[in-house]
Amino acid sequence: MPIDPTLPYDDQNIFARILRGEIPCNKVYEDDHALAFHDIAPQTPVHVLVVPKGGYVSWDDFSAHAPAELIAGFVRAVGTVARQLDLVEPGYRLLANIGGDGGQEVAHLHVHLFGGMPLGRMIAA
């Protein structure tokens, strides 16, 4: 069910619980700013979620309220994961679903890294 990104952060969402170690994940990468792990229902041969550490509902919330160090660290973590998984060449897709129209299902900012196959057009015209 799509979420409303204007609602307050819920620290019981699944990604908050994964970050606290209450729910296990198949970790790919972790540093002080982000955690990356394999999606439990992959849509492509490589499907990894990258989650910033901190209570941010959406990209809007994150970009407006996170400290610059966390924003930079999160962006660097995404790039590190893409390189670590050898996705830079031949290429990959980075996706962040935001809000109801964007299809966001978990009220914690996260990005999907898709790769391992040709991904085609982003949105059919």
Side-chain angles (χ1 to χ4, degrees):
M1 170 179 227
I3 62 102
D4 179 349
T6 64
L7 292 176
Y9 184 77
D10 173 10
D11 69 359
Q12 294 304 307
N13 74 67
I14 190 166
F15 294 155
R17 294 182 67 206
I18 289 170
L19 284 168
R20 289 194 301 267
E22 296 171 7
I23 297 174
C25 69
N26 185 359
K27 188 186 312 183
V28 172
Y29 176 83
E30 184 173 19
D31 65 15
D32 291 340
H33 307 288
L35 173 66
F37 52 92
H38 291 281
D39 193 289
I40 62 169
Q43 304 297 306
T44 56
V46 177
H47 184 175
V48 170
L49 302 174
V50 186
V51 180
K53 292 187 174 178
Y56 302 97
V57 174
S58 66
W59 196 263
D60 180 66
D61 181 24
F62 184 67
S63 65
H65 301 110
E69 180 180 304
L70 180 58
I71 293 170
F74 178 65
V75 172
R76 289 181 196 279
V78 171
T80 297
V81 171
R83 288 187 298 277
Q84 189 175 323
L85 296 173
D86 294 323
L87 295 176
V88 174
E89 183 57 45
Y92 62 97
R93 179 164 296 147
L94 180 62
L95 173 72
N97 298 314
I98 307 299
D101 281 357
Q104 185 177 4
E105 295 179 355
V106 178
H108 186 113
L109 173 63
H110 59 285
V111 297
H112 298 256
L113 281 171
F114 298 106
M117 62 181 270
L119 298 170
R121 294 185 57 150
M122 185 171 63
I123 298 174

